[in-house]
Amino acid sequence: MNRRHILSLLSGLLAMLVMAGGSAAPRGEIIVVLSRDSEPHREVVTAMRSELARQNRADLPLRVLTLDELASQYDQLLKQKPALIVTVGSQAAQDLATRRPPIPLMHALIPRQTWEALPRTTAQRDSAVFLDQPVVRQLQLIKLALPGRVRLGAVTGPATARTGDELRAAARRLGLSVQIESIDQPAALLPALNRVVDDIQVLVSVPDPMVFAPNTIHHILLTTYRYRVPVLGLSRAYVDAGALLAVYSTPEDIGRQLGEVVGGLGNGRVVLPAPRYPKYYSVSVNPRVAASLGLSMETESALLQKLQATEGQR
């Protein structure tokens, strides 16, 4: 076999590897750090592994540590030079961002506001999959589920001041209007809520700890119910508590997306995508609340399908 034939054979073998999707694994381990050993956090890891198995990426095993375990192993872990650290939950994100390891960080199961507050330098190549939904998706769900209800309202706090502007811009694009009340202390919540619900048709929840917190949800739902104003919640739990509907992402949804990101990593230097909102999500509706407000609602699956269609998903 002459030299030209050998070179041709090698080129063909290389092309076959590329066509087979055989992107080599990044050098070093993939470390997943859980804020705590809880079922939701473990569900993220299970979904990541399932997605990597679907991609036939057995070359990308995950090493899972809790935040407590990381504390005693951190120095040794750095010596092993992992390729990527994935954090799950706000505590793990804040801990690793504060440590500033010379390793790319991929944060998950955190709100966008938490990501924006994390310490990092311009040289860091970090990214995130947010837990909260883009405002356009939330408002699009209202438009699909409650046609004719065009006057929306929201209460924002210090952590979500920018969200008010985003809500207004998204509402304009969708032919809706939104009234925003901003507060800077917890005592101002109920007066602001009473002002906003007096002239709106739907209240949009925002992920601000001063507004929607465990000790405020009951008061918010009672007030809006008294005014017969339905609430777009932040999660399935909000819907179970009395919100009319919600669009949200489960830990499994987030884990699947993380698996896609990790599975797409190539050999050598890890390059992460830009921070992004969840790709996968669900819709929940509270039929008892709908009936009590005299509303006729489509099924959750029908609304989800229509919402996905607006984003070009299947």
Side-chain angles (χ1 to χ4, degrees):
M1 185 178 295
N2 61 35
R3 186 170 181 270
R4 187 174 66 181
H5 286 155
I6 292 174
L7 290 174
S8 177
L9 179 60
L10 289 174
S11 298
L13 288 172
L14 179 60
M16 288 173 63
L17 285 172
V18 172
M19 290 173 62
S23 58
R27 301 186 190 96
E29 283 188 299
I30 308 295
I31 307 297
V32 182
V33 181
L34 310 182
S35 292
R36 56 186 178 279
D37 189 5
S38 67
E39 183 177 353
H41 291 185
R42 290 289 178 182
E43 287 175 357
V44 172
V45 176
T46 299
M48 285 182 67
R49 285 182 167 141
S50 295
E51 175 58 27
L52 290 172
R54 190 193 66 79
Q55 296 180 43
N56 295 317
R57 295 305 305 266
D59 58 332
L60 285 172
L62 307 179
R63 179 181 169 193
V64 182
L65 301 171
T66 64
L67 196 52
D68 290 339
E69 291 170 335
L70 176 74
S72 61
Q73 302 179 34
Y74 183 72
D75 291 339
Q76 184 61 33
L77 182 146
L78 290 187
K79 292 178 182 177
Q80 296 169 0
K81 297 183 178 179
L84 174 68
I85 298 178
V86 178
T87 72
V88 181
S90 296
Q91 287 178 295
Q94 290 164 350
D95 183 280
L96 267 300
T98 301
R99 291 177 186 270
R100 296 186 181 180
I103 299 160
L105 298 174
M106 184 75 191
H107 304 295
L109 222 60
I110 63 172
R112 189 191 69 180
Q113 65 198 44
T114 299
W115 156 258
E116 292 173 345
L118 291 177
R120 57 183 173 273
T121 66
T122 55
Q124 288 178 283
R125 308 189 303 273
D126 301 346
S127 189
V129 175
F130 306 136
L131 179 60
D132 42 332
Q133 305 296 313
V135 294
V136 170
R137 183 178 293 164
Q138 293 175 295
L139 301 193
Q140 190 67 261
L141 176 59
I142 292 174
K143 191 169 182 177
L144 292 168
L146 300 167
R149 295 201 172 220
V150 298
R151 299 194 313 276
L152 315 181
V155 179
T156 61
T160 51
R162 201 175 81 184
T163 304
D165 293 333
E166 294 174 350
L167 280 169
R168 290 188 184 95
R172 282 194 299 271
R173 291 199 299 272
L174 295 174
L176 307 170
S177 66
V178 60
Q179 178 181 336
I180 308 293
E181 288 282 342
S182 299
I183 64 171
D184 57 8
Q185 56 182 326
L189 173 59
L190 290 182
L193 181 64
N194 278 288
R195 287 193 300 272
V196 78
V197 298
D198 192 39
D199 190 38
I200 63 170
Q201 295 171 305
V202 184
L203 180 72
V204 180
S205 302
V206 296
D208 193 295
M210 188 177 288
V211 180
F212 283 88
N215 62 326
T216 66
I217 295 173
H218 179 69
H219 299 294
I220 291 171
L221 293 174
L222 279 179
T223 301
T224 53
Y225 188 78
R226 187 168 66 248
Y227 282 85
R228 300 188 65 77
V229 173
V231 176
L232 176 73
L234 295 168
S235 67
R236 178 62 180 266
Y238 280 74
V239 174
D240 292 341
L244 175 64
L245 74 168
V247 54
Y248 59 93
S249 296
T250 65
E252 183 178 359
D253 292 329
I254 301 297
R256 179 183 175 188
Q257 188 168 349
L258 282 173
E260 291 178 349
V261 172
V262 172
L265 297 178
N267 190 25
R269 178 176 177 268
V270 169
V271 179
L272 295 173
R276 59 195 57 199
Y277 285 104
K279 177 180 178 181
Y280 304 107
Y281 51 87
S282 301
V283 169
S284 283
V285 174
N286 189 320
R288 293 189 303 276
V289 172
S292 67
L293 294 175
L295 299 171
S296 177
M297 303 286 293
E298 292 190 78
T299 64
E300 294 173 348
S301 59
L303 287 171
L304 176 61
Q305 193 171 38
K306 287 184 175 182
L307 186 58
Q308 290 173 333
T310 67
E311 300 182 1
Q313 296 185 22
R314 293 184 179 180

